[in-house]
């Protein structure tokens, strides 16, 4: 289940980047959240809709607070060419994404 949630987070980061300052654009938050929900609620290890909403809200909040647009774009460009397993590995090597996923998983 954690692997699927990490993959969901990776999917969000395909459209965003890492930051020292908060991303204020609500489109970025909405994109992260709205991309997360369908991914979190499908598949054999899917979350309930309630848990997915909690997890995805946490991911979107943390993503917009911890990353800059430039960092998200860079991360996205690195993830584009990788398969699912390599994407998960790359995400776990990134300190910000690893702490975000760990934090958000603890909320559900």
């Amino acid at each position: 289940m954690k692997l699927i949630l990490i993959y969901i987070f990776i999917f969000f980061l395909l459209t965003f980047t890492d930051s020292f300052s908060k991303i204020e654009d609500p489109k970025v938050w909405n994109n992260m959240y709205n991309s997360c929900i369908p991914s979190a609620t499908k598949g054999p290890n899917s979350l309930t809709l309630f848990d997915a909403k909690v997890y995805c809200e946490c991911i979107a909040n943390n993503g917009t607070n911890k990353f800059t647009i430039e960092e998200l774009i860079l991360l996205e460009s690195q993830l584009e060419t990788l398969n699912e397993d390599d994407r998960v590995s790359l995400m776990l090597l990134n300190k910000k994404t690893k702490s975000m996923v760990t934090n958000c998983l603890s909320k559900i």
Side-chain angles (χ1 to χ4, degrees), residues 49-98:
L49 183 57
F50 178 80
D51 285 345
K53 287 180 178 182
V54 171
Y55 174 78
C56 293
E57 183 176 345
C58 179
I59 289 294
N61 287 337
N62 280 274
T64 56
N65 286 327
K66 293 185 178 189
F67 288 93
T68 64
I69 293 294
E70 292 79 16
E71 290 171 320
L72 287 175
I73 292 169
L74 177 60
L75 184 57
E76 177 183 352
S77 68
Q78 293 171 336
L79 294 172
E80 280 181 355
T81 60
L82 302 176
N83 64 38
E84 182 178 339
D85 291 337
D86 291 339
R87 288 178 179 185
V88 171
S89 297
L90 178 63
M91 296 303 291
L92 292 176
L93 291 174
N94 184 300
K95 291 178 184 180
K96 289 182 182 181
T97 57
K98 184 177 179 179

Side-chain angles (χ1 to χ4, degrees), residues 10 12 24 31 39 52 86-87 96 107:
I10 291 170
F12 291 126
E24 298 292 337
N31 192 15
S39 300
D86 291 339
R87 288 178 179 185
K96 289 182 182 181
K107 296 185 183 291

Side-chain angles (χ1 to χ4, degrees), residues 14-26:
L14 291 177
T15 56
F16 309 102
T17 192
D18 197 347
S19 125
F20 292 111
S21 63
K22 181 178 173 119
I23 299 172
E24 298 292 337
D25 188 349

